Amino acid sequence: FLLIGRDNACEKTSYMFLRKELPVRLANTMREVNLLPDNLLNRPSEGTNALRDRSWCSCADHVENVSVPEECHSHLCFLDVLIKVRNRHNDVVPTMAQGVIEYKEKYGFDPFVSSNIQYFLDRFYTNRISFRMLINQHTLLFGGDINPAHPKHIGSIDPNCDVAEVVKDAYETAKMLCEQYYTVAPDLEVEEFNAKAPNKPIQVVYVPSHLFHMLFELFKNSMRATVELHEGKKEACPSIKTLVTLGKEDLSIKISDQGGGVPLRKIDRLFNYMYSTAPRPSLEPSRAVPL
Ligand SMILES: Nc1ncnc2c1ncn2[C@@H]1O[C@H](COP(=O)(O)OP(=O)(O)OP(=O)(O)O)[C@@H](O)[C@H]1O
Ligand SMILES: [Mg+2]
């Protein structure tokens, strides 16, 4: 990405690459849709119907649309198609989640179905991230607008992403939601340990929005656990501690809270899409539960 995007980025090369790459990736995802349980594909309720339509129709549209530029030579036309494809699928994640929740409510939990959904969604979301990353790099690099807030970014990539800054941003955003819902929020303590360049801030080549997203989810979890455990107690809520370390090979971010933790017995379930102890979310923003 950096090599393609840095100097003299060539729009035609990127266009030729994406024209082939995007439909192939979509076709692979479409094949895997068959792994979803029949109940989700054939006898769908409203949400799961959307899940199937999203998966099938949206993929078909993608392939169709991405092939269009063969006849339309203008690069602007290709850009336009990419932007439309991307925007049309902005709400795929909540729609998918709604489909899974409805499925669970109607048919209960089945380990076999759950492992198929797990396999499909892991690959579907990973594919979606890379697919959107490819589109975003093209539209950001060749869309004609230099991002005034971040002129040094290469597309969506920050070559000097300051990790602690992103940690603080994500914390502040989660804090806002937490205060809105519970009226209080734990404080944040950030510590950095840079083994490669002692006492220098830890920087990394990364997509800040991706890092933000991950941290934001973790902070929301920590805040909910901490506030709910300490609700009604006299003492202030204990802070959430974050340690960012850079070793010889890896960068790690450790977030710890005093929210009571997750029983070892339940740890395996955490990465299961069908598991949550949070209240059922609503798609209507006015009724949504923030954490
Ligand atoms: N820091 C934490 N302390 C205690 N329990 C946690 C923590 N993080 C996660 N959990 C538990 O793990 C469950 C799953 O977390 P996950 O973030 O996947 O979903 P969620 O928070 O329930 O819903 P959402 O999709 O809105 O994030 C939570 O419902 C909570 O019970
Ligand atoms: Mg969560």
Side-chain angles (χ1 to χ4, degrees):
F1 280 123
L2 289 185
L3 280 178
I4 288 182
R6 194 162 255 153
D7 302 310
N8 307 319
C10 174
E11 186 169 359
K12 183 141 187 254
T13 312
S14 174
Y15 160 69
M16 298 300 283
F17 171 69
L18 290 184
R19 252 189 59 202
K20 284 221 164 87
E21 186 68 19
L22 296 181
V24 169
R25 284 174 183 243
L26 281 165
N28 282 331
T29 307
M30 281 167 76
R31 279 181 46 198
E32 296 203 348
V33 171
N34 284 328
L35 288 171
L36 287 172
D38 286 348
N39 285 338
L40 212 54
L41 291 170
N42 297 334
R43 276 179 286 147
S45 58
E46 207 178 302
T48 48
N49 201 357
L51 178 85
R52 181 199 48 185
D53 288 351
R54 285 285 158 172
S55 320
W56 277 109
C57 305
S58 64
C59 289
D61 278 1
H62 273 318
V63 176
E64 194 186 315
N65 282 337
V66 174
S67 331
V68 166
E70 204 148 13
E71 300 104 54
C72 105
H73 299 290
S74 149
H75 69 107
L76 285 175
C77 176
F78 186 59
L79 260 174
D80 203 43
V81 168
L82 289 185
I83 291 169
K84 277 202 190 112
V85 167
R86 184 187 62 202
N87 292 348
R88 190 163 358 115
H89 299 101
N90 276 345
D91 62 348
V92 160
V93 174
T95 309
M96 283 289 188
Q98 200 196 359
V100 170
I101 290 171
E102 286 185 11
Y103 182 91
K104 197 169 76 171
E105 276 173 0
K106 194 158 179 198
Y107 299 102
F109 179 84
D110 173 328
F112 177 71
V113 168
S114 162
S115 85
N116 279 2
I117 291 182
Q118 193 72 16
Y119 176 84
F120 171 78
L121 287 181
D122 275 348
R123 293 175 57 96
F124 181 84
Y125 289 138
T126 311
N127 198 359
R128 184 172 186 269
I129 292 169
S130 60
F131 191 83
R132 290 173 84 82
M133 173 93 192
L134 288 169
I135 293 185
N136 283 341
Q137 284 307 99
H138 188 91
T139 55
L140 289 168
L141 287 172
F142 308 113
D145 306 318
I146 289 176
N147 183 345
H150 307 287
K152 295 212 168 120
H153 285 196
I154 297 169
S156 59
I157 303 167
D158 182 354
N160 306 104
C161 175
D162 187 318
V163 179
E165 283 307 311
V166 184
V167 166
K168 286 175 202 155
D169 271 1
Y171 163 80
E172 288 299 334
T173 313
K175 182 183 171 200
M176 244 163 47
L177 289 183
C178 187
E179 284 177 338
Q180 195 182 319
Y181 192 54
Y182 295 103
T183 68
V184 284
D187 286 337
L188 172 74
E189 289 171 30
V190 189
E191 203 187 326
E192 283 185 80
F193 180 71
N194 190 339
K196 266 178 142 179
N199 303 320
K200 294 237 167 77
I202 294 176
Q203 294 191 330
V204 60
V205 181
Y206 211 75
V207 180
S209 58
H210 290 182
L211 185 57
F212 177 94
H213 202 91
M214 293 181 266
L215 293 166
F216 175 58
E217 289 300 322
L218 295 174
F219 279 129
K220 279 194 301 177
N221 286 349
S222 282
M223 286 180 187
R224 178 177 161 228
T226 310
V227 174
E228 288 191 355
L229 188 72
H230 294 266
E231 235 169 9
K233 290 192 183 156
K234 266 191 257 135
E235 311 84 54
C237 241
S239 340
I240 298 173
K241 297 197 172 81
T242 305
L243 174 64
V244 185
T245 54
L246 181 64
K248 271 196 199 112
E249 293 187 19
D250 300 310
L251 179 136
S252 73
I253 304 172
K254 181 175 164 191
I255 298 179
S256 20
D257 60 62
Q258 292 179 38
V262 181
L264 187 63
R265 187 169 54 84
K266 295 184 179 169
I267 286 280
D268 285 347
R269 299 182 208 170
L270 287 193
F271 289 95
N272 189 302
Y273 293 105
M274 293 184 102
Y275 179 69
S276 167
T277 59
R280 193 189 195 289
S282 161
L283 284 179
E284 286 168 49
S286 57
R287 288 176 43 220
V289 179
L291 296 183

